[in-house]
């Protein structure tokens, strides 16, 4: 099915990716992968004085925009979509040197973005380190008997970015007492009791928590009451 007579090629400098085999009306070269219509007749790019241009497929908006900015001559490339009965953009033809300059500009931007991401990652890491230290200090204030290394492990686990754990909540970020205690209770439950094994054995979460509640309370009481010996 050929494009209908009502489906007009967009105005301006346009090259077409033909759906059927076409030959140039001038030099008879063919089949053509790209053609330009002149007075309704297909012309190859060379006969249309566009043979020095190179094709840049659509997809990279920034590269396309910059290539057109750099190129003294640019041509929109379209193809007819039978299902939609319309011509759709496939890319542009631009000068090869212009494309090279545009690619260099995009690479420079990509490098700048990479450096910015690296700076942001270092900043976030420093922020996380400070927060973990503050969280661990609050754990030890509430539970002076908790070993310093254990407090740091609990704080680091509770504060992982994107984890959804209590340390990332608003209360956790504010170092509220409830949030800190919740993080410590969760750590003790999983590390110092058979809670995980009970769950693996098929026990419900509520029953497993009831079974280990006394052990959790005993350890937390010991941490809370034990003062550091100088």
């Amino acid at each position: 099915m050929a494009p209908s007579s009502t489906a007009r090629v967009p105005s301006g400098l346009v090259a077409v990716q033909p759906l059927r085999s076409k030959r140039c009306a001038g030099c008879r070269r063919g089949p053509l992968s790209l053609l330009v219509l002149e007075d309704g007749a297909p012309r190859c790019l060379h006969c249309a004085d566009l043979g020095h241009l190179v094709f840049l497929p659509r997809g990279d908006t920034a590269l396309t925009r910059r290539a057109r900015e750099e190129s003294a001559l640019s041509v929109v490339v379209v193809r007819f979509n039978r299902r939609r009965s319309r011509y759709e953009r496939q890319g542009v033809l631009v000068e090869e040197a212009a494309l090279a300059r545009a690619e260099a500009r995009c690479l420079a931007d990509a490098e700048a973005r990479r450096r910015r991401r690296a700076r942001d990652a270092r900043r976030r890491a420093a922020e996380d380190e400070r927060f973990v230290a503050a969280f661990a200090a609050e754990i030890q204030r509430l539970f002076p008997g908790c070993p310093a290394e254990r407090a740091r492990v609990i704080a680091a686990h509770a504060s992982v970015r994107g984890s959804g754990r209590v340390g990332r909540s608003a209360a956790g970020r504010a170092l509220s007492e409830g949030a800190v205690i919740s993080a410590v209770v969760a750590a003790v439950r999983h590390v110092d009791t058979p809670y995980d094994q009970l769950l693996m054995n098929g026990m419900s979460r509520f029953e497993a928590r009831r079974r280990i509640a006394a052990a959790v309370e005993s350890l937390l009481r010991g941490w809370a009451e034990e003062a550091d010996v100088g």
Side-chain angles (χ1 to χ4, degrees), residues 30-113:
L32 301 176
S33 59
L34 284 174
L35 60 85
V36 175
L37 292 174
E38 291 184 344
D39 297 325
R43 303 278 180 176
C44 69
L45 296 185
H46 291 281
C47 288
D49 293 331
L50 301 175
H52 63 295
L53 303 181
V54 295
F55 178 56
L56 173 61
R58 68 179 182 180
D60 190 326
T61 304
L63 180 59
T64 297
R65 173 174 54 80
R66 286 173 169 171
R68 298 191 73 176
E69 290 172 354
E70 294 284 351
S71 188
L73 179 64
S74 64
V75 180
V76 174
V77 176
V78 299
R79 183 171 61 213
F80 188 72
N81 185 317
R82 288 188 173 119
R83 183 171 60 84
R84 297 180 176 178
S85 297
R86 70 186 188 192
Y87 281 93
E88 295 181 339
R89 185 168 177 158
Q90 303 302 308
V92 292
L93 295 171
V94 293
E95 296 165 338
E96 189 169 7
L99 178 56
R101 291 192 296 271
E103 289 172 336
R105 289 172 60 186
C106 288
L107 285 174
D109 277 359
E111 175 61 20
R113 288 194 297 271

Side-chain angles (χ1 to χ4, degrees), residues 7 11 15 17 20 30 41-42 52-53 66 68 88 93 98 104 117 121 134 156-158 176 178 182 200 216 224:
S11 60
Q17 292 180 342
R20 291 184 174 181
H52 63 295
L53 303 181
R66 286 173 169 171
R68 298 191 73 176
E88 295 181 339
L93 295 171
R117 287 195 298 269
H157 179 79
S176 76
S182 292
M200 288 294 293
V216 172

